[in-house]
Amino acid sequence: MIQAAIISTGDELTTGRTTDTNAGFIADRLLGLGIDVVAVLTVGDRPERLRWAWSEALRLAEVVIATGGLGPTADDLTTETVAALLGRPLVHDAAVAERIRELFRLFNRPMPENNLKQAAFPEGAVIVPNPLGTAPGYRMEVGSAEDRRHLVVLPGVPREMKPMLTETVLPWLAELAGAARVGHRTFQTFGISESGLDEVIAGIPGEGRWSFRANFPEVSVRVVVRGDDVERRLEAFGREVYARLGQYIYGEGDTSMERVVGALLAARGVTVAFAESCTGGLVSHRLTNVPGSSAYYRGGVNAYANAVKEALLGVPSALLEAEGAVSEAVAGAMAEGARRALGSDLAVGVTGIAGPDGGTAEKPVGTVCFGLAAADRPTVTRRYQLWGNREWVKLLASQIALDWVRRHLLALPLLEIGPRGAGPAEAKRESVAPS
Ligand code: AMP
Ligand code: MG
């Protein structure tokens, strides 16, 4: 398996003025080719630090991809440093110089002489064209046949770097990596913790590399398979994953809970409505972010005050008094009221305590109750203890409301949330290092 290192260059990155988005973009594309990224090194615009990063990267990995430091100014040092490190002279490329001159003529601007610095390359470099800027990138091969290293140098501006990577560098790397023999699948899950997933996945036989990504409140699992028979092996992994985790997997690849729920409602011809208290309309907001939601979304009642729960949803005041606004009974009555008022096939009610205030010993912050009302079946209710700050409780509650619709339509069991579910341990970890 080919290993790669990524170098991100620039004082703006080490001082925190700019967030390094290039490394993540490149890493994701390399993973898609089955190339293993062993390190991402970030250094400022200093020759000795650049030299350190390049020496380390070349020691660690067969492929090194660097961005930044290709500008015309004195602080852009990548090319000089790489040439010096490899002991190669700089060679002036007349064609590139002419293109830079032409670009300036085109914009009717005088060209500062230092722009021609961008037409100098280490000897042996192959130009990577830059359709959107003046500085082209380049790639080089160094070392002996037994100890080959491949270097790629690209500009730092993301808008320029991305097409250069996608159009020129990736096809070349794909050939190098034999990308035809690599494949991957990403499963999107909700309602089970990363460690819970890990435990289940660990028992799946077969050779594949699994990785997890927690993006509150969801966790995605990716499997990468290399070698022969990639398609068949991915199929086999898929079957095992669904057999063990089926109810938690709401989709694959680039999707979201609201899109999946929207597609399900559309396919079944079922309409939905929501009665929201603590989520303040978030459930409706998320579902109406899906294009085409008018086909199944009837509307929502944002019933924050008890008076609104009574007046618009017909929740009996005696019930509110006896059980409290945050109770399974009220969540159920809210769902039934929304279904009645809005004329939907299905309705979900959500009421809870998002915090930071308002919790009691009996109903602490994070207590959220749900109700689902549908035709021809009794209303279902449940109380969950959620976690995190106000924003998290709202987001998690909205996710649960959507997942309830999904589970209802697919006749799956009711969501269970415990320490093994999308558990508190996960929440703590995430709150320290949000992804
Ligand atoms: P450079 O090629 O070093 O002249 O970079 C030009 C500009 O690209 C910088 O001023 C940053 O705004 C941006 N940039 C450079 N490196 C990165 C990176 N790793 N991620 C995001 N933006 C970057
Ligand atoms: Mg720079």
Side-chain angles (χ1 to χ4, degrees):
M1 189 202 314
I2 293 193
Q3 301 197 315
I6 298 172
I7 303 177
S8 300
T9 311
D11 283 346
E12 70 276 19
L13 303 172
T14 52
T15 53
R17 263 194 302 133
T18 301
T19 303
D20 180 1
T21 54
N22 287 352
F25 182 85
I26 296 169
D28 182 70
R29 300 309 135 110
L30 293 185
L31 182 65
L33 294 181
I35 295 175
D36 191 28
V37 175
V38 293
V40 177
L41 306 172
T42 307
V43 282
D45 296 304
R46 299 279 190 83
E48 71 278 11
R49 294 178 193 168
L50 273 168
R51 216 173 303 126
W52 171 82
W54 275 95
S55 321
E56 284 302 306
L58 287 167
R59 202 170 55 75
L60 284 169
E62 189 180 336
V63 172
V64 178
I65 302 186
T67 67
L70 282 188
T73 52
D75 65 351
D76 288 310
L77 298 164
T78 297
T79 297
E80 294 94 304
T81 309
V82 170
L85 186 71
L86 301 176
R88 297 206 180 179
L90 284 177
V91 180
H92 184 80
D93 187 306
V96 171
E98 185 43 36
R99 182 177 138 77
I100 294 173
R101 282 204 188 86
E102 203 180 284
L103 278 174
F104 274 90
R105 272 201 298 273
L106 205 65
F107 291 112
N108 241 331
R109 292 223 309 266
M111 188 190 71
E113 263 321 285
N114 58 7
N115 267 280
L116 289 181
K117 195 180 125 185
Q118 296 178 309
F121 302 93
E123 192 177 65
V126 178
I127 305 292
V128 174
N130 180 351
L132 298 176
T134 53
Y138 51 92
R139 66 179 169 88
M140 299 173 70
E141 278 181 20
V142 300
S144 59
E146 302 79 52
D147 191 25
R148 184 73 75 206
R149 293 285 184 271
H150 304 271
L151 288 66
V152 179
V153 179
L154 298 173
V157 182
R159 198 177 65 95
E160 297 178 18
M161 180 280 288
K162 287 178 187 177
M164 295 169 75
L165 185 83
T166 316
E167 286 161 28
T168 307
V169 178
L170 289 184
W172 166 68
L173 284 176
E175 210 169 294
L176 193 70
R181 306 199 307 143
V182 179
H184 59 86
R185 260 172 102 166
T186 306
F187 306 91
Q188 308 294 348
T189 75
F190 172 66
I192 181 165
S193 68
E194 200 174 343
S195 48
L197 278 174
D198 190 27
E199 228 169 62
V200 173
I201 297 279
I204 295 182
E207 248 183 89
R209 201 169 131 190
W210 297 91
S211 59
F212 300 87
R213 198 177 102 99
N215 185 17
F216 184 81
E218 319 177 333
V219 184
S220 69
V221 191
R222 166 133 76 172
V223 62
V224 179
V225 168
R226 290 182 184 76
D228 297 324
D229 246 357
V230 163
E231 289 297 314
R232 190 193 52 74
R233 284 160 60 210
L234 280 177
E235 275 284 327
F237 274 120
R239 269 196 305 278
E240 291 289 334
V241 171
Y242 279 99
R244 289 155 200 243
L245 292 165
Q247 61 163 314
Y248 299 107
I249 300 170
Y250 70 78
E252 279 194 49
D254 185 19
T255 187
S256 66
M257 180 66 87
E258 48 269 48
R259 267 198 270 167
V260 166
V261 169
L264 268 174
L265 288 163
R268 307 279 164 105
V270 173
T271 60
V272 72
F274 299 102
E276 302 189 52
S277 187
C278 66
T279 44
L282 184 58
V283 186
S284 284
H285 171 65
R286 289 183 58 184
L287 195 59
T288 52
N289 280 342
V290 181
S293 48
S294 58
Y296 44 79
Y297 176 71
R298 294 283 302 173
V301 175
N302 198 11
Y304 219 63
N306 282 357
V308 177
K309 294 184 180 78
E310 287 178 37
L312 296 187
L313 296 171
V315 179
S317 60
L319 192 66
L320 282 161
E321 200 125 307
E323 303 278 338
V326 178
S327 59
E328 288 189 54
V330 167
M334 285 170 66
E336 287 167 3
R339 202 175 153 250
R340 223 175 14 245
L342 301 168
S344 59
D345 298 320
L346 199 67
V348 177
V350 188
T351 174
I353 302 158
D357 311 312
T360 62
E362 199 199 328
K363 292 177 185 172
V365 168
T367 302
V368 184
C369 298
F370 295 80
L372 185 145
D376 309 325
R377 54 168 277 182
T379 296
V380 181
T381 64
R382 192 64 132 227
R383 171 179 159 164
Y384 296 119
Q385 181 59 50
L386 309 185
W387 57 89
N389 62 20
R390 185 174 176 82
E391 218 177 308
W392 279 36
V393 170
K394 288 178 70 177
L395 181 59
L396 187 46
S398 74
Q399 183 84 355
I400 292 170
L402 292 169
D403 195 42
W404 269 42
V405 175
R406 182 186 75 90
R407 286 171 176 264
H408 172 78
L409 293 172
L410 295 174
L412 291 170
L414 207 59
L415 176 70
E416 296 297 339
I417 294 191
R420 281 256 130 236
E426 201 92 59
K428 283 200 202 90
R429 197 180 66 74
E430 274 282 306
S431 67
V432 174
S435 57

